[in-house]
Amino acid sequence: MKFTKMEGLGNDYVYVNCFNETVENPSEVSIKVSDRHFGIGSDGLILIKPSEVADFCMEMYNADGSQSEMCGNGIRCVAKYVYDYGLTDKTSISVETLAGIKYLDLQVENGKVVMVTVNMGAPELVPANIPVKSDKDILVREPIEVAGVNYEMTCVSMGNPHCIVFVEDTAAFPLEKVGPEFEKHEVFPNRVNAEFIEVLDRKTVNMRVWERGSGKTLACGTGACASTVACILNGLTEDEITLHLLGGDLKVRWDKDENLVYMTGPAKVVFDGEINL
């Protein structure tokens, strides 16, 4: 199987051009290629496929083989791949995902995509649709007990479920200990991505993330979008902010008039290769 390893802010995936390749049992393949000792090493597997409703289709699998609806860093890399590898010459494209069709604008320099802005769509705030078990209309600073500790969470879906918690110091926060407890908490029927946010000022935050199915990662695009919405709902920031993640920075804007979230960030090719499965 020919592949390309790509990363968006260190959130790395193995990408396969399914216009040319066929991947049988992608869940098993994702587990194998994601292994950082015996495989290629990644946060998961992303298949780039034809679509009947958009320019391309993105199919995403986590490192544990589970399938996810959407990946913000991943879809930026899809945009770079299809342009840089000659599948399109358009600088505005549409990509079908399990979270709906997303629209992307590509910034090209010297014939290569360097930055991508993604229209991530409208944030979902209704608990049943995130999903979160709750009888509330919206979950903003909602109390939750996790592993015997009381927190306040704000819950948002950007096509996949997110739980945002504000902390005083992300660097000191015990992410590896607390993250798995949030992910598998009983109030999240489909598990959850957990983001821990330290607000620096009205336009800047630090973010750490524990991703459902992949664990601690360097960045999460949908998580950055959900966290921006949570910051605004809590009155902590302006409508456009910069998020500092371990892998780099993302800019996210929530246009409340349109009720659309826009994310801008980089995408890079790490290397091309071939693996026997």
Side-chain angles (χ1 to χ4, degrees), residues 44-257:
L45 172 72
I46 291 180
L47 309 181
I48 302 172
K49 308 175 80 171
S51 170
E52 295 182 356
V53 295
D55 294 320
F56 301 95
C57 175
M58 178 181 88
E59 197 172 294
M60 178 209 169
Y61 296 84
N62 296 308
D64 67 354
S66 61
Q67 189 171 9
S68 280
E69 302 88 346
M70 176 56 186
C71 174
N73 291 314
I75 200 170
R76 294 200 314 277
C77 289
V78 168
K80 179 174 176 63
Y81 184 98
V82 298
Y83 187 92
D84 287 10
Y85 287 78
L87 299 184
T88 187
D89 59 0
K90 299 194 298 184
T91 56
S92 293
I93 64 170
S94 58
V95 177
E96 177 188 359
T97 75
L98 288 180
I101 298 174
K102 306 301 178 186
Y103 299 90
L104 300 87
D105 293 318
L106 288 55
Q107 180 182 331
V108 178
E109 294 180 4
N110 300 318
K112 301 291 185 182
V113 172
V114 293
M115 297 286 284
V116 180
T117 297
V118 187
N119 177 346
M120 298 288 286
E124 176 61 69
L125 303 177
V126 177
N129 298 335
I130 294 175
V132 186
K133 295 177 182 177
S134 175
D135 57 3
K136 300 287 184 66
D137 293 331
I138 186 173
L139 298 176
V140 176
R141 286 202 180 273
E142 182 71 12
I144 183 173
E145 182 179 326
V146 178
V149 179
N150 293 318
Y151 298 91
E152 291 181 333
M153 65 176 181
T154 299
C155 295
V156 181
S157 173
M158 291 302 308
N160 53 0
H162 293 272
C163 168
I164 298 92
V165 175
F166 295 98
V167 300
E168 291 187 2
D169 184 355
T170 50
F173 189 78
L175 180 65
E176 283 95 342
K177 178 181 178 181
V178 177
E181 300 291 342
F182 269 91
E183 177 188 356
K184 299 174 182 178
H185 195 284
E186 62 183 4
V187 301
F188 306 114
N190 294 343
R191 296 187 294 166
V192 80
N193 301 280
E195 284 80 32
F196 303 94
I197 301 297
E198 174 189 356
V199 178
L200 301 178
D201 56 47
R202 296 283 300 175
K203 294 184 178 181
T204 320
V205 306
N206 288 334
M207 170 181 151
R208 298 294 179 268
V209 58
W210 182 270
E211 289 200 58
R212 176 185 60 168
S214 293
K216 178 184 176 181
T217 61
L218 296 179
C220 177
T222 56
C225 294
S227 296
T228 300
V229 171
C231 287
I232 297 165
L233 288 174
N234 283 278
L236 299 174
T237 67
E238 305 298 333
D239 293 350
E240 181 173 10
I241 64 174
T242 297
L243 300 99
H244 299 316
L245 297 89
L246 290 177
D249 293 351
L250 283 174
K251 286 189 178 294
V252 181
R253 174 172 62 91
W254 182 18
D255 186 324
K256 289 190 286 188
D257 292 333

